Amino acid sequence: MKQGELVYAGKAKSLYRTDVPGQLYVHFRDDITAFDGGKKDVLSRKGNLNARVSAKIFSLLEEHGIPTHFVRMEGDAAMIVRDLRMIPLEVIVRNIAAGSITRNYPVPEGTAFDPPVIVIDYKDDARHDPMLNDDIIVTALRLLSRDQLAEVKALALRVNAVLQRFLAGVGITLVDFKLEFGWDGDRIVVGDEISMDSMRLWDTATGTSLDKDVYRFGKGDVLAVYREVAARALPGGEQK
Ligand code: 5GP
């Protein structure tokens, strides 16, 4: 597969065309950023860790009948994905209160949500990803119909159930995570990445962070915790 022209470079990934129509090459770079790009670093092998955990999770979702853009892992820190028409939403599923919900509302950190809370933000860095509601999505921005929005939320909850069970099996509590969706023809599928950059993970035994919060809040060696998640999620593959 030939890596073609650069289509788009985000904060931590670059997308390239390939010689296969409808398929893109996603390179997970070693860049890490937080606070709208206000904090930035380069961490050697971080792209590899996130690409491999993401690939594992996408494969797991596909096994459970949840459609994603994932085709295959390619090389060390890249994957081949189907080219989607992305929907500019960040769909966040929260099982436990942490992060922005505890800053914006009187909800103590650690509060369990049953059913999970779904929050949807508008993906727009310049506007700092403002939170949306159903009417803004459907009527004002016309991003989805009501039925399509219901489908996105149902898919997000199915992803949550699969991920929660998988991570619990390796001693990790899934606190919350962010998904992005796109159109694959007339089908809505899960796109982007699902990694330690986009999930909030706590070690079930100790409650310590195993995700980008370690970087955001200077809580320790972020590469060491990313390696720890990879070692648990990809048994035998952590040294790759
Ligand atoms: P919060 O709203 O608490 O900042 O984030 C909730 C969850 O969504 C966290 O797991 C966080 O990592 C993820 N998340 C929210 N916004 C973004 C974003 O712009 N990029 C990424 N990678 N993850 C995000």
Side-chain angles (χ1 to χ4, degrees):
M1 160 114 9
K2 247 173 72 185
Q3 183 182 327
E5 160 209 357
L6 179 72
V7 180
Y8 172 79
K11 290 197 282 287
K13 298 190 297 299
S14 300
L15 263 67
Y16 299 85
R17 286 204 198 294
T18 68
D19 47 1
V20 178
Q23 293 193 359
L24 296 176
Y25 176 103
V26 185
H27 176 222
F28 286 68
R29 304 195 314 268
D30 286 339
D31 300 303
I32 186 163
T33 71
F35 308 118
D36 278 340
K39 183 173 179 183
K40 285 188 211 176
D41 283 284
V42 178
L43 301 173
S44 171
R45 309 293 293 159
K46 178 242 176 194
N48 167 274
L49 295 164
N50 270 0
R52 287 190 301 122
V53 169
S54 229
K56 164 75 191 181
I57 290 174
F58 281 130
S59 304
L60 189 68
L61 297 180
E62 293 280 351
E63 282 165 28
H64 283 81
I66 300 171
T68 79
H69 67 160
F70 181 69
V71 176
R72 64 171 185 276
M73 187 76 187
E74 181 89 350
D76 194 42
M79 57 175 70
I80 304 296
V81 301
R82 273 184 290 285
D83 189 3
L84 306 182
R85 205 151 43 82
M86 291 304 291
I87 303 163
L89 298 176
E90 298 194 341
V91 179
I92 296 160
V93 181
R94 299 178 179 277
N95 294 305
I96 298 174
S100 66
I101 198 167
T102 64
R103 291 193 299 273
N104 297 336
Y105 307 95
V107 184
E109 182 175 271
T111 307
F113 298 131
D114 187 15
V117 170
I118 298 179
V119 175
I120 305 186
D121 292 345
Y122 186 46
K123 188 175 164 72
D124 185 333
D125 276 348
R127 293 185 163 82
H128 308 291
D129 301 342
M131 191 190 293
L132 299 171
N133 68 19
D134 289 11
D135 284 350
I136 299 177
I137 295 169
V138 173
T139 309
L141 296 174
R142 295 172 178 267
L143 293 173
L144 295 169
S145 69
R146 296 237 173 233
D147 285 352
Q148 290 162 350
L149 179 56
E151 186 184 340
V152 161
K153 290 183 186 179
L155 279 169
L157 291 178
R158 283 175 64 198
V159 171
N160 184 50
V162 171
L163 270 183
Q164 234 185 348
R165 189 154 4 104
F166 170 67
L167 292 167
V170 294
I172 296 175
T173 301
L174 178 62
V175 176
D176 58 40
F177 63 100
K178 183 263 306 177
L179 294 175
E180 294 184 27
F181 292 86
W183 290 99
D184 183 14
D186 59 2
R187 234 171 33 136
I188 297 176
V189 312
V190 182
D192 195 52
E193 69 180 279
I194 305 177
S195 72
M196 293 73 87
D197 278 9
S198 61
M199 294 183 285
R200 182 170 277 123
L201 306 173
W202 291 348
D203 182 84
T204 308
T206 64
T208 57
S209 289
L210 296 173
D211 58 49
K212 199 157 103 176
D213 275 354
V214 173
Y215 175 74
R216 289 188 186 101
F217 306 113
K219 293 205 242 179
D221 182 348
V222 64
L223 263 186
V225 306
Y226 278 35
R227 258 189 246 113
E228 174 66 24
V229 175
R232 293 198 206 177
L234 315 162
E238 67 275 16
Q239 299 302 333
K240 219 174 136 189

